[in-house]
Amino acid sequence: MKITWHGHACFELAGSRRVLIDPFITGNPLAKVKPEELSPEVLLITHGHEDHLGDAVAIAKRAKPKIAVIHEIAVFLQEQGIEAEGMNIYGSVELDGVRVTMVPALHSSSHAGRYMGSACGFVVELDGVRVYHAGDTGIFSDMRLIGELFSPDVMLVPMGDRYTMSPRIAAKAVELVSPKVAIPMHYATFPILADSAEEFKRLVEELGIEVVVLEPGESYEL
Ligand code: NI
Ligand code: MN
C-alpha cells in the first residue's frame, strides 16, 4: 500500500483501491496536485472545517466515490445530490472492500455556521494494512483504546499546535496508540502552525516508534 501526503490532513491510500481523506487542495499552499487529478473510489471526511471538507463536493460529483462520513455531513452531501453513507463514532462500514471505522476526535465541526456533528478520525483497513487518520484532535486517553482495538500499522498525527496538538502532546498521543509508524500532518500549511516536524520526530523516535516525515506529494510504501 502507498500512502501519499498532499499537505495538511489530505492523504491518499492506494492499494487495490484508492482512498482519499480530507481533500483540501484548493487554497492549500502545500498541495502539488489539482483536485481534478484525484479520482478516489472511497472518500472520507473527518469534519466540516474548510481545511478538511475542501474540494470534497467537487471531487464527489465528478469521481462518484463511495463516501463514509458522520450522519450530519452525509445529510449535507445528500442535499447536494451526492450519495454518502452516514455513520457515527465506533461504527464500521465496508466500502468497495475497504473497511472503515469511525473513531472519536476531540475537536469541533461546522461548515458556514452549520453544525456538522462530531469531528472524528478513521481507521481504514486496506489490503490488510490498518491506517489510523486521527483527524483534527487534541489528545484523549481513549487513544490507548483505539490502539488496543485496531493495532494500527500507521498513525497520521496532527501536530501543528493551535488547532490540534503541539509536537510534545502529539508525541504522547502516539505513545498511547503505539502504531508501528507515525506520519506527522497538519503543520507548515499556514504561518500560525508549527513549521516543521523536527521536534515531533525526535520525541516519537525516543519512544522507539518509527517516524516518516513526508514532503507534500511524496509517498510512503509499506
Ligand atoms: Ni478542524
Ligand atoms: Mn484543520
Side-chain angles (χ1 to χ4, degrees):
M1 196 228 274
K2 198 166 92 169
I3 300 176
T4 305
W5 186 47
H6 294 300
H8 214 55
C10 182
F11 285 88
E12 209 176 351
L13 316 180
S16 58
R17 297 286 183 279
R18 285 185 311 274
V19 180
L20 183 64
I21 309 173
D22 284 357
F24 168 51
I25 305 297
T26 303
N28 174 355
L30 298 181
K32 301 256 190 296
V33 284
K34 294 193 177 74
E36 311 85 77
E37 295 173 72
L38 299 171
S39 295
E41 284 137 338
V42 173
L43 175 62
L44 306 174
I45 306 158
T46 62
H47 63 296
H49 291 156
E50 206 43 55
D51 59 322
H52 297 262
L53 190 64
D55 298 288
V57 167
I59 291 171
K61 285 187 172 167
R62 176 180 46 79
K64 305 207 177 347
K66 303 247 188 274
I67 302 175
V69 283
I70 202 147
H71 168 72
E72 287 78 2
I73 295 185
V75 171
F76 168 78
L77 294 173
Q78 287 156 3
E79 285 171 6
Q80 300 174 70
I82 295 165
E83 257 183 60
E85 306 269 346
M87 61 189 303
N88 221 308
I89 307 290
Y90 281 117
S92 295
V93 290
E94 186 122 355
L95 300 174
D96 218 1
V98 183
R99 188 156 185 85
V100 176
T101 304
M102 182 172 279
V103 294
L106 194 58
H107 194 73
S108 60
S109 178
S110 61
H111 174 73
R114 172 173 172 166
Y115 172 67
M116 294 291 251
S118 297
C120 73
F122 289 104
V123 177
V124 180
E125 185 169 342
L126 173 62
D127 301 341
V129 177
R130 284 180 301 276
V131 177
Y132 167 32
H133 187 302
D136 273 3
T137 189
I139 194 169
F140 50 97
S141 54
D142 274 7
M143 283 178 164
R144 189 185 295 281
L145 187 59
I146 294 171
E148 285 176 13
L149 286 170
F150 303 101
S151 306
D153 297 289
V154 180
M155 178 180 179
L156 310 175
V157 194
M159 44 65 51
D161 211 346
R162 185 139 175 166
Y163 295 103
T164 65
M165 299 176 281
S166 68
R168 187 178 78 85
I169 295 174
K172 184 69 193 176
V174 174
E175 185 180 1
L176 292 178
V177 174
S178 192
K180 293 192 188 87
V181 174
I183 299 178
M185 63 167 172
H186 214 276
Y187 70 98
T189 327
F190 307 110
I192 49 169
L193 302 181
D195 62 357
S196 103
E198 221 168 282
E199 185 191 0
F200 172 79
K201 181 174 162 66
R202 179 175 55 77
L203 292 170
V204 173
E205 283 176 348
E206 278 173 17
L207 302 168
I209 293 172
E210 186 186 345
V211 177
V212 173
V213 178
L214 294 173
E215 292 297 322
E218 201 184 1
S219 302
Y220 168 66
E221 281 195 55
L222 74 168

